[in-house]
Amino acid sequence: MRLLRTIVQTLFLAGVVAVLVRGMMGLTTSTCETYCPFAGLVALYPLLRFNTYTCAMNEFHVALFVSLVALTLVTKKSFCSWVCPLGTVQEWIGKASREVFGRYVRPPVAVDRILLNLKYVVLVLVLGLTWTVWQGDLGFRAYDPFYIIFTGFRGHETLSFSIFIGIGVLVAAFFVPMVFCRYLCPLSAVMDPMSRAGFLRLRRNPGRCTDCGICDEACPQGIPVATADEVTARDCTNCLECVEVCPEKGALELTLFGK
Amino acid sequence: MKKVIVIPAAILILILVAFATMGAYRVPTLVVEFVEKRPAVVESVEYTVDGLTCRGKSRGFAGMISGVEGVVSLTTYVRSNTAIVEYDPTLTDPVEIETAFEGPIVHEDEEYFLFKAKK
Ligand code: SF4
Ligand code: SF4
């Protein structure tokens, strides 16, 4: 199970790195942005209002965004733990940190609760500024770790401080698991309502579960699995790390439409 | 736990759907009309242009052909690097227009080329 996910993640990460390397060699004009579903959301307003695209956005981005909405409705935020290269990198950094510290280092629950809402502010700012003041210009690129990191710190809108954001996010992911996904990612914010509805979700079988709490410890998103009957949390990415570590067979099961 | 397969399957299917549906409709990136009054006869030519990758570049492209007498309008589609130019055939022709946008940009004594028509 974990192997399957690691393979899928590695494929997508390798794909983005391949685009980067080919771009550096001058073999393609594509960048990591060519395949970004968030662009599809950003494109929607000028598309619906003026029937044009801004920047390099096009039909493919819109199609990707629609696909992402569908994916999230079916499988919660699986995009984050199966597809998104930035999620993959953060997850691996988080696991390295767990090796070093022996467990995930997490902020206190009260602080975490507040920080979780930051990404909605980011979303409103990014969309609001892009659609008004920046007039469709992607002014947030210089602050976007996905853009900064996967253009090899050389994207044409990377500013001198951008490198600190890129490296900062990677370093922060060592001390707070999935820090960008959980607190800052505007795409993660958009997915929240769909993710809550997500048809494919985990159910805990209280008859089999021994309340050992090992699953809570293993969840990169800090979701209290051991006390839930059903994992409806918006942040669950169906990474299934909790299932992987659960010692009781059948205590945690994936259900589709409740079955 | 066999249901886990739903996740990669859904990812694969939806990516394929995205690829399959993106061609279903086409919306231009930039539309520019260069003249107030359209001439009686208008012809159009379609170029695939290396370097025509975004709205800003489309504007630059419009600037470069705007000097050609007889150019009527420009419509760009950056996903396919396409530029469709309408022109008055009594005043200009596709070769002159191509020469205009393939010309060098001069900036601080440096010369560089932004666009090249793919043949
Ligand atoms: S609850 Fe389980 S599947 Fe969901 S994010 Fe946490 S570890 Fe992953
Ligand atoms: S790891 Fe398994 S047995 Fe332990 S609390 Fe979680 S679901 Fe229950």
Side-chain angles (χ1 to χ4, degrees), chain A residues 62-196:
Chain A
V62 177
L64 278 181
F65 180 67
V66 174
S67 285
L68 177 63
V69 169
L71 179 69
T72 312
L73 267 178
V74 180
T75 67
K76 298 177 76 72
K77 284 187 188 169
S78 63
F79 175 80
C80 309
S81 68
W82 289 73
V83 179
C84 180
L86 191 55
T88 302
V89 168
Q90 288 179 82
E91 186 191 326
W92 292 351
I93 292 175
K95 284 195 172 152
S97 135
R98 197 173 54 170
E99 289 296 311
V100 172
F101 297 114
R103 63 183 181 87
Y104 279 126
V105 192
R106 300 186 213 266
V109 177
V111 179
D112 180 70
R113 284 249 171 83
I114 298 170
L115 291 178
L116 276 176
N117 296 313
L118 252 182
K119 56 180 179 289
Y120 301 109
V121 179
V122 174
L123 174 69
V124 169
L125 275 178
V126 165
L127 291 184
L129 286 172
T130 308
W131 289 343
T132 58
V133 193
W134 292 332
Q135 302 202 353
D137 197 32
L138 302 185
F140 57 83
R141 273 175 176 155
Y143 313 89
D144 171 0
F146 177 71
Y147 181 78
I148 297 167
I149 294 169
F150 292 108
T151 52
F153 297 94
R154 288 155 39 135
H156 67 287
E157 273 179 46
T158 312
L159 304 176
S160 48
F161 61 82
S162 301
I163 193 161
F164 296 109
I165 296 181
I167 293 176
V169 164
L170 299 180
V171 172
F174 191 81
F175 296 101
V176 182
M178 313 304 285
V179 62
F180 182 72
C181 311
R182 279 171 67 67
Y183 304 136
L184 296 169
C185 178
L187 191 56
S188 171
V190 177
M191 284 189 273
D192 276 347
M194 281 80 81
S195 179
R196 267 216 193 283

